[in-house]
Amino acid sequence: MPVVETNMTQKDLLEVEPPFIPQGAFAMVRRLDLPPGDPGIAPHRHSGPVFGFMLEGEMLFELEGEAPYPIKAGEAFWEPGGDVIHYTISNLLADSWSRLVVVMLCAPGVAMITFVDDEELAAKESARIPRQRA
C-alpha cells in the first residue's frame, strides 16, 4: 500500500474506562441541537455509556454525584449510563444554538433514554450537588 502524506493533526480529548458495556450492546451516533436558552430534557438514565463532543455553543451538564458544570465547544464528555441519573443537559447561551454529537452504547431491548419519575427525584434531591459558581 502506498504511503500518503498528510497534514492531519490529532489531539486526544477524552480517555476513560467505562464501568460497563452492556452485553450485546449496539452503538448509536446522534447530533443534538439545543435552541437558545433551551432547558433540555427531563432527568433520565441511559442504558449504557454515552460519549459526547460539543460542536458549538455551551451546555450545562449534571450527572448524579457530580456538581453541574459547563461544557464548551471543542470539549468532550462522557457518562457511565446504567443507574446514574442524568439531571441536566441545557443550553447556557440565551442567544445561540448549542450543538453536540453523542455516541451511545445501547443495551439491547432497553430504551436508550428512560425518564426518572418524580418520586425518585424527590427521594434523591438532598444528595444533589449544587453548581459551583466561577
Side-chain angles (χ1 to χ4, degrees):
M1 175 176 260
V3 175
V4 177
E5 289 192 40
T6 179
N7 292 319
M8 180 179 75
T9 62
Q10 60 184 9
K11 178 182 178 182
D12 293 336
L13 298 173
L14 178 68
E15 186 175 313
V16 298
E17 184 175 324
F20 78 100
I21 295 177
Q23 182 69 26
F26 65 96
M28 175 189 301
V29 179
R30 180 176 285 172
R31 190 182 85 197
L32 303 172
D33 300 323
L34 296 166
D38 192 89
I41 64 174
H44 59 279
R45 291 187 169 90
H46 294 287
S47 65
V50 177
F51 300 87
F53 180 77
M54 284 298 296
L55 298 169
E56 63 183 272
E58 184 175 350
M59 72 169 173
L60 184 65
F61 190 76
E62 180 187 1
L63 293 178
E64 184 175 357
E66 298 180 8
Y69 63 95
I71 299 174
K72 299 177 181 179
E75 296 178 344
F77 60 94
W78 87 289
E79 60 183 283
D83 290 335
V84 176
I85 296 174
H86 184 173
Y87 286 104
T88 305
I89 177 173
S90 60
N91 188 348
L92 285 171
L93 304 178
D95 58 352
S96 300
W97 285 72
S98 288
R99 292 182 170 83
L100 56 143
V101 170
V102 293
V103 176
M104 301 179 279
L105 300 177
C106 309
V110 180
M112 187 58 213
I113 296 175
T114 303
F115 291 99
V116 179
D117 64 35
D118 291 338
E119 184 177 319
E120 183 178 3
L121 286 174
K124 292 189 172 189
E125 183 62 33
S126 64
R128 286 182 80 178
I129 300 170
R131 181 176 179 194
Q132 304 298 312
R133 297 288 175 181

